[in-house]
Amino acid sequence: MENLKIELDNQKQIEKVINAISSLPSINELTITDEEKLINARNLYEALNHELKTKVTNLNVLESCEKALELLKQNNDSASYVIELINNLPTIEDLKLTDKETVLGVQNTYDNLTDVVKNLITNVDKLNSLVEIVSEFDSVENVISVINNLPNISDLTLNDEEKLIAARNLYEALNSKVKK
C-alpha cells in the first residue's frame, strides 16, 4: 500500500513537470516575459530524482525554449545597444558636418545586425533620416568651397556672374534639410 502511494506521488510529480513544460509557449511565440515560466518548469524538473527525470517525456521542449530564450536575450541586448547609439546621435536640427563619421559608424553597426535584431530597433527612422542628410555632406562641402572661392562683394565684376549662378545652382540643388 505504501509503495502504491509513493508510485502515485511520483507519477503526480512527473505529470506536474510534463504539464508545466507543455504549457510553455512555442518557440515562435516565446518572449522574454516567459522567462519565469521556463524557470518554474526547470525548477520542477530539477526537483525530481534521477529516476523520475528519465520519465519526463518532453524535456527537449524545455531545453529548446531555454536556448531560444537565451537567443532572445542576446538579441534584445544587441538591439538595446544600437537603440542607445541612435538615441545619442544629434537631432536633425543639431546635426553638423563633424557628425558625419559618427552617424555612418552607427549605420555600419546597424547594417551588421541580423534581421531579427534589426526588427527590434525602434528608432531606425531617426538613423535613416540622419544618414540621408550626411550622405549629402560631400555636396554641402563642395558648395561651401565654391562659395568661399567667390570674390568678395567689393571685388565682384560682371565677369563673375557665371560663378555666382553656378554657386547658387549648386546651393539650390541641395536637400532642404542640409541647407540649414
PDB file of all heavy atoms in Angstrom, residues 53-77:
ATOM      1  N   LYS A  53      13.366  11.866 -13.445  1.00  0.00           N
ATOM      2  CA  LYS A  53      13.734  12.735 -14.560  1.00  0.00           C
ATOM      3  C   LYS A  53      13.703  11.979 -15.882  1.00  0.00           C
ATOM      4  O   LYS A  53      13.316  12.539 -16.915  1.00  0.00           O
ATOM      5  CB  LYS A  53      15.127  13.329 -14.339  1.00  0.00           C
ATOM      6  CG  LYS A  53      15.168  14.425 -13.315  1.00  0.00           C
ATOM      7  CD  LYS A  53      16.596  14.963 -13.154  1.00  0.00           C
ATOM      8  CE  LYS A  53      16.651  16.057 -12.102  1.00  0.00           C
ATOM      9  NZ  LYS A  53      18.011  16.573 -11.913  1.00  0.00           N
ATOM     10  N   THR A  54      14.089  10.715 -15.851  1.00  0.00           N
ATOM     11  CA  THR A  54      14.112   9.927 -17.094  1.00  0.00           C
ATOM     12  C   THR A  54      12.710   9.681 -17.643  1.00  0.00           C
ATOM     13  O   THR A  54      12.566   9.311 -18.802  1.00  0.00           O
ATOM     14  CB  THR A  54      14.815   8.571 -16.866  1.00  0.00           C
ATOM     15  OG1 THR A  54      14.071   7.801 -15.913  1.00  0.00           O
ATOM     16  CG2 THR A  54      16.247   8.752 -16.407  1.00  0.00           C
ATOM     17  N   LYS A  55      11.697   9.901 -16.853  1.00  0.00           N
ATOM     18  CA  LYS A  55      10.321   9.652 -17.280  1.00  0.00           C
ATOM     19  C   LYS A  55       9.623  10.920 -17.794  1.00  0.00           C
ATOM     20  O   LYS A  55       8.473  10.864 -18.218  1.00  0.00           O
ATOM     21  CB  LYS A  55       9.529   9.028 -16.124  1.00  0.00           C
ATOM     22  CG  LYS A  55      10.074   7.659 -15.757  1.00  0.00           C
ATOM     23  CD  LYS A  55       9.308   7.027 -14.639  1.00  0.00           C
ATOM     24  CE  LYS A  55       9.949   5.668 -14.329  1.00  0.00           C
ATOM     25  NZ  LYS A  55       9.273   4.963 -13.283  1.00  0.00           N
ATOM     26  N   VAL A  56      10.324  12.034 -17.759  1.00  0.00           N
ATOM     27  CA  VAL A  56       9.775  13.279 -18.318  1.00  0.00           C
ATOM     28  C   VAL A  56       9.965  13.198 -19.830  1.00  0.00           C
ATOM     29  O   VAL A  56      11.085  13.204 -20.327  1.00  0.00           O
ATOM     30  CB  VAL A  56      10.462  14.529 -17.722  1.00  0.00           C
ATOM     31  CG1 VAL A  56       9.977  15.795 -18.409  1.00  0.00           C
ATOM     32  CG2 VAL A  56      10.208  14.598 -16.221  1.00  0.00           C
ATOM     33  N   THR A  57       8.875  13.098 -20.543  1.00  0.00           N
ATOM     34  CA  THR A  57       8.911  12.810 -21.981  1.00  0.00           C
ATOM     35  C   THR A  57       9.103  14.034 -22.878  1.00  0.00           C
ATOM     36  O   THR A  57       9.344  13.883 -24.075  1.00  0.00           O
ATOM     37  CB  THR A  57       7.616  12.091 -22.390  1.00  0.00           C
ATOM     38  OG1 THR A  57       6.502  12.929 -22.020  1.00  0.00           O
ATOM     39  CG2 THR A  57       7.506  10.740 -21.716  1.00  0.00           C
ATOM     40  N   ASN A  58       8.985  15.217 -22.313  1.00  0.00           N
ATOM     41  CA  ASN A  58       9.084  16.424 -23.149  1.00  0.00           C
ATOM     42  C   ASN A  58      10.196  17.370 -22.695  1.00  0.00           C
ATOM     43  O   ASN A  58      10.112  18.583 -22.920  1.00  0.00           O
ATOM     44  CB  ASN A  58       7.742  17.145 -23.213  1.00  0.00           C
ATOM     45  CG  ASN A  58       7.204  17.546 -21.850  1.00  0.00           C
ATOM     46  OD1 ASN A  58       7.759  17.182 -20.811  1.00  0.00           O
ATOM     47  ND2 ASN A  58       6.112  18.295 -21.863  1.00  0.00           N
ATOM     48  N   LEU A  59      11.232  16.844 -22.099  1.00  0.00           N
ATOM     49  CA  LEU A  59      12.356  17.676 -21.652  1.00  0.00           C
ATOM     50  C   LEU A  59      12.966  18.449 -22.818  1.00  0.00           C
ATOM     51  O   LEU A  59      13.380  19.595 -22.654  1.00  0.00           O
ATOM     52  CB  LEU A  59      13.424  16.813 -20.971  1.00  0.00           C
ATOM     53  CG  LEU A  59      14.677  17.543 -20.505  1.00  0.00           C
ATOM     54  CD1 LEU A  59      14.327  18.600 -19.450  1.00  0.00           C
ATOM     55  CD2 LEU A  59      15.710  16.557 -19.957  1.00  0.00           C
ATOM     56  N   ASN A  60      12.980  17.835 -23.996  1.00  0.00           N
ATOM     57  CA  ASN A  60      13.547  18.512 -25.170  1.00  0.00           C
ATOM     58  C   ASN A  60      12.829  19.831 -25.465  1.00  0.00           C
ATOM     59  O   ASN A  60      13.444  20.793 -25.936  1.00  0.00           O
ATOM     60  CB  ASN A  60      13.514  17.598 -26.394  1.00  0.00           C
ATOM     61  CG  ASN A  60      12.107  17.196 -26.776  1.00  0.00           C
ATOM     62  OD1 ASN A  60      11.232  17.014 -25.923  1.00  0.00           O
ATOM     63  ND2 ASN A  60      11.879  17.036 -28.065  1.00  0.00           N
ATOM     64  N   VAL A  61      11.549  19.913 -25.174  1.00  0.00           N
ATOM     65  CA  VAL A  61      10.789  21.154 -25.389  1.00  0.00           C
ATOM     66  C   VAL A  61      11.309  22.246 -24.448  1.00  0.00           C
ATOM     67  O   VAL A  61      11.549  23.379 -24.872  1.00  0.00           O
ATOM     68  CB  VAL A  61       9.275  20.917 -25.175  1.00  0.00           C
ATOM     69  CG1 VAL A  61       8.499  22.225 -25.212  1.00  0.00           C
ATOM     70  CG2 VAL A  61       8.737  19.936 -26.197  1.00  0.00           C
ATOM     71  N   LEU A  62      11.508  21.897 -23.199  1.00  0.00           N
ATOM     72  CA  LEU A  62      12.040  22.852 -22.223  1.00  0.00           C
ATOM     73  C   LEU A  62      13.425  23.325 -22.646  1.00  0.00           C
ATOM     74  O   LEU A  62      13.707  24.528 -22.637  1.00  0.00           O
ATOM     75  CB  LEU A  62      12.098  22.227 -20.824  1.00  0.00           C
ATOM     76  CG  LEU A  62      12.750  23.063 -19.726  1.00  0.00           C
ATOM     77  CD1 LEU A  62      12.023  24.389 -19.536  1.00  0.00           C
ATOM     78  CD2 LEU A  62      12.801  22.275 -18.422  1.00  0.00           C
ATOM     79  N   GLU A  63      14.268  22.396 -23.041  1.00  0.00           N
ATOM     80  CA  GLU A  63      15.635  22.755 -23.448  1.00  0.00           C
ATOM     81  C   GLU A  63      15.633  23.651 -24.677  1.00  0.00           C
ATOM     82  O   GLU A  63      16.405  24.608 -24.753  1.00  0.00           O
ATOM     83  CB  GLU A  63      16.453  21.487 -23.678  1.00  0.00           C
ATOM     84  CG  GLU A  63      16.733  20.737 -22.385  1.00  0.00           C
ATOM     85  CD  GLU A  63      17.343  19.357 -22.592  1.00  0.00           C
ATOM     86  OE1 GLU A  63      17.234  18.801 -23.718  1.00  0.00           O
ATOM     87  OE2 GLU A  63      17.927  18.834 -21.624  1.00  0.00           O
ATOM     88  N   SER A  64      14.764  23.371 -25.625  1.00  0.00           N
ATOM     89  CA  SER A  64      14.652  24.211 -26.824  1.00  0.00           C
ATOM     90  C   SER A  64      14.183  25.619 -26.460  1.00  0.00           C
ATOM     91  O   SER A  64      14.695  26.614 -26.980  1.00  0.00           O
ATOM     92  CB  SER A  64      13.690  23.596 -27.833  1.00  0.00           C
ATOM     93  OG  SER A  64      14.195  22.382 -28.306  1.00  0.00           O
ATOM     94  N   CYS A  65      13.210  25.705 -25.574  1.00  0.00           N
ATOM     95  CA  CYS A  65      12.710  27.015 -25.130  1.00  0.00           C
ATOM     96  C   CYS A  65      13.806  27.791 -24.391  1.00  0.00           C
ATOM     97  O   CYS A  65      13.933  29.001 -24.568  1.00  0.00           O
ATOM     98  CB  CYS A  65      11.488  26.848 -24.238  1.00  0.00           C
ATOM     99  SG  CYS A  65       9.979  26.435 -25.133  1.00  0.00           S
ATOM    100  N   GLU A  66      14.582  27.099 -23.588  1.00  0.00           N
ATOM    101  CA  GLU A  66      15.657  27.767 -22.855  1.00  0.00           C
ATOM    102  C   GLU A  66      16.709  28.332 -23.815  1.00  0.00           C
ATOM    103  O   GLU A  66      17.181  29.460 -23.631  1.00  0.00           O
ATOM    104  CB  GLU A  66      16.308  26.794 -21.859  1.00  0.00           C
ATOM    105  CG  GLU A  66      15.433  26.480 -20.679  1.00  0.00           C
ATOM    106  CD  GLU A  66      15.953  25.347 -19.804  1.00  0.00           C
ATOM    107  OE1 GLU A  66      16.690  24.461 -20.303  1.00  0.00           O
ATOM    108  OE2 GLU A  66      15.627  25.351 -18.604  1.00  0.00           O
ATOM    109  N   LYS A  67      17.051  27.560 -24.841  1.00  0.00           N
ATOM    110  CA  LYS A  67      18.010  28.052 -25.847  1.00  0.00           C
ATOM    111  C   LYS A  67      17.434  29.245 -26.604  1.00  0.00           C
ATOM    112  O   LYS A  67      18.133  30.235 -26.853  1.00  0.00           O
ATOM    113  CB  LYS A  67      18.382  26.930 -26.814  1.00  0.00           C
ATOM    114  CG  LYS A  67      19.262  25.867 -26.199  1.00  0.00           C
ATOM    115  CD  LYS A  67      19.525  24.730 -27.172  1.00  0.00           C
ATOM    116  CE  LYS A  67      20.273  23.609 -26.469  1.00  0.00           C
ATOM    117  NZ  LYS A  67      20.393  22.417 -27.311  1.00  0.00           N
ATOM    118  N   ALA A  68      16.173  29.143 -26.974  1.00  0.00           N
ATOM    119  CA  ALA A  68      15.521  30.240 -27.694  1.00  0.00           C
ATOM    120  C   ALA A  68      15.463  31.500 -26.830  1.00  0.00           C
ATOM    121  O   ALA A  68      15.681  32.615 -27.318  1.00  0.00           O
ATOM    122  CB  ALA A  68      14.122  29.825 -28.132  1.00  0.00           C
ATOM    123  N   LEU A  69      15.186  31.328 -25.538  1.00  0.00           N
ATOM    124  CA  LEU A  69      15.137  32.476 -24.630  1.00  0.00           C
ATOM    125  C   LEU A  69      16.505  33.134 -24.526  1.00  0.00           C
ATOM    126  O   LEU A  69      16.606  34.367 -24.529  1.00  0.00           O
ATOM    127  CB  LEU A  69      14.643  32.056 -23.243  1.00  0.00           C
ATOM    128  CG  LEU A  69      14.558  33.185 -22.218  1.00  0.00           C
ATOM    129  CD1 LEU A  69      13.493  34.202 -22.627  1.00  0.00           C
ATOM    130  CD2 LEU A  69      14.258  32.629 -20.836  1.00  0.00           C
ATOM    131  N   GLU A  70      17.547  32.344 -24.461  1.00  0.00           N
ATOM    132  CA  GLU A  70      18.901  32.906 -24.396  1.00  0.00           C
ATOM    133  C   GLU A  70      19.208  33.726 -25.643  1.00  0.00           C
ATOM    134  O   GLU A  70      19.765  34.818 -25.556  1.00  0.00           O
ATOM    135  CB  GLU A  70      19.928  31.777 -24.224  1.00  0.00           C
ATOM    136  CG  GLU A  70      21.308  32.258 -23.884  1.00  0.00           C
ATOM    137  CD  GLU A  70      21.366  33.135 -22.639  1.00  0.00           C
ATOM    138  OE1 GLU A  70      20.670  32.857 -21.647  1.00  0.00           O
ATOM    139  OE2 GLU A  70      22.118  34.137 -22.657  1.00  0.00           O
ATOM    140  N   LEU A  71      18.807  33.222 -26.808  1.00  0.00           N
ATOM    141  CA  LEU A  71      18.992  33.980 -28.046  1.00  0.00           C
ATOM    142  C   LEU A  71      18.178  35.269 -28.026  1.00  0.00           C
ATOM    143  O   LEU A  71      18.661  36.321 -28.458  1.00  0.00           O
ATOM    144  CB  LEU A  71      18.591  33.136 -29.260  1.00  0.00           C
ATOM    145  CG  LEU A  71      19.592  32.090 -29.707  1.00  0.00           C
ATOM    146  CD1 LEU A  71      18.999  31.228 -30.822  1.00  0.00           C
ATOM    147  CD2 LEU A  71      20.880  32.728 -30.169  1.00  0.00           C
ATOM    148  N   LEU A  72      16.954  35.188 -27.534  1.00  0.00           N
ATOM    149  CA  LEU A  72      16.118  36.392 -27.420  1.00  0.00           C
ATOM    150  C   LEU A  72      16.795  37.441 -26.544  1.00  0.00           C
ATOM    151  O   LEU A  72      16.793  38.630 -26.870  1.00  0.00           O
ATOM    152  CB  LEU A  72      14.752  36.048 -26.827  1.00  0.00           C
ATOM    153  CG  LEU A  72      13.704  35.484 -27.762  1.00  0.00           C
ATOM    154  CD1 LEU A  72      12.481  35.039 -26.979  1.00  0.00           C
ATOM    155  CD2 LEU A  72      13.321  36.503 -28.811  1.00  0.00           C
ATOM    156  N   LYS A  73      17.363  36.995 -25.434  1.00  0.00           N
ATOM    157  CA  LYS A  73      18.036  37.935 -24.529  1.00  0.00           C
ATOM    158  C   LYS A  73      19.252  38.575 -25.207  1.00  0.00           C
ATOM    159  O   LYS A  73      19.471  39.782 -25.085  1.00  0.00           O
ATOM    160  CB  LYS A  73      18.477  37.221 -23.252  1.00  0.00           C
ATOM    161  CG  LYS A  73      17.353  36.873 -22.317  1.00  0.00           C
ATOM    162  CD  LYS A  73      17.895  36.004 -21.209  1.00  0.00           C
ATOM    163  CE  LYS A  73      17.270  36.236 -19.893  1.00  0.00           C
ATOM    164  NZ  LYS A  73      17.856  35.402 -18.840  1.00  0.00           N
ATOM    165  N   GLN A  74      20.028  37.762 -25.925  1.00  0.00           N
ATOM    166  CA  GLN A  74      21.184  38.296 -26.634  1.00  0.00           C
ATOM    167  C   GLN A  74      20.749  39.304 -27.699  1.00  0.00           C
ATOM    168  O   GLN A  74      21.345  40.380 -27.832  1.00  0.00           O
ATOM    169  CB  GLN A  74      21.990  37.165 -27.279  1.00  0.00           C
ATOM    170  CG  GLN A  74      22.714  36.285 -26.294  1.00  0.00           C
ATOM    171  CD  GLN A  74      23.325  35.059 -26.945  1.00  0.00           C
ATOM    172  OE1 GLN A  74      23.287  34.890 -28.164  1.00  0.00           O
ATOM    173  NE2 GLN A  74      23.881  34.184 -26.131  1.00  0.00           N
ATOM    174  N   ASN A  75      19.707  38.941 -28.447  1.00  0.00           N
ATOM    175  CA  ASN A  75      19.191  39.850 -29.471  1.00  0.00           C
ATOM    176  C   ASN A  75      18.683  41.140 -28.843  1.00  0.00           C
ATOM    177  O   ASN A  75      18.903  42.235 -29.366  1.00  0.00           O
ATOM    178  CB  ASN A  75      18.070  39.182 -30.273  1.00  0.00           C
ATOM    179  CG  ASN A  75      18.584  38.092 -31.186  1.00  0.00           C
ATOM    180  OD1 ASN A  75      19.763  38.012 -31.480  1.00  0.00           O
ATOM    181  ND2 ASN A  75      17.695  37.233 -31.625  1.00  0.00           N
ATOM    182  N   ASN A  76      18.000  41.006 -27.721  1.00  0.00           N
ATOM    183  CA  ASN A  76      17.477  42.174 -27.030  1.00  0.00           C
ATOM    184  C   ASN A  76      18.610  43.074 -26.541  1.00  0.00           C
ATOM    185  O   ASN A  76      18.522  44.303 -26.631  1.00  0.00           O
ATOM    186  CB  ASN A  76      16.583  41.734 -25.870  1.00  0.00           C
ATOM    187  CG  ASN A  76      15.669  42.831 -25.409  1.00  0.00           C
ATOM    188  OD1 ASN A  76      15.073  43.518 -26.225  1.00  0.00           O
ATOM    189  ND2 ASN A  76      15.555  43.001 -24.110  1.00  0.00           N
ATOM    190  N   ASP A  77      19.685  42.468 -26.033  1.00  0.00           N
ATOM    191  CA  ASP A  77      20.843  43.247 -25.588  1.00  0.00           C
ATOM    192  C   ASP A  77      21.476  43.994 -26.758  1.00  0.00           C
ATOM    193  O   ASP A  77      21.823  45.169 -26.645  1.00  0.00           O
ATOM    194  CB  ASP A  77      21.889  42.339 -24.924  1.00  0.00           C
ATOM    195  CG  ASP A  77      21.456  41.814 -23.567  1.00  0.00           C
ATOM    196  OD1 ASP A  77      20.470  42.340 -23.002  1.00  0.00           O
ATOM    197  OD2 ASP A  77      22.105  40.872 -23.071  1.00  0.00           O
TER     198      ASP A  77
END
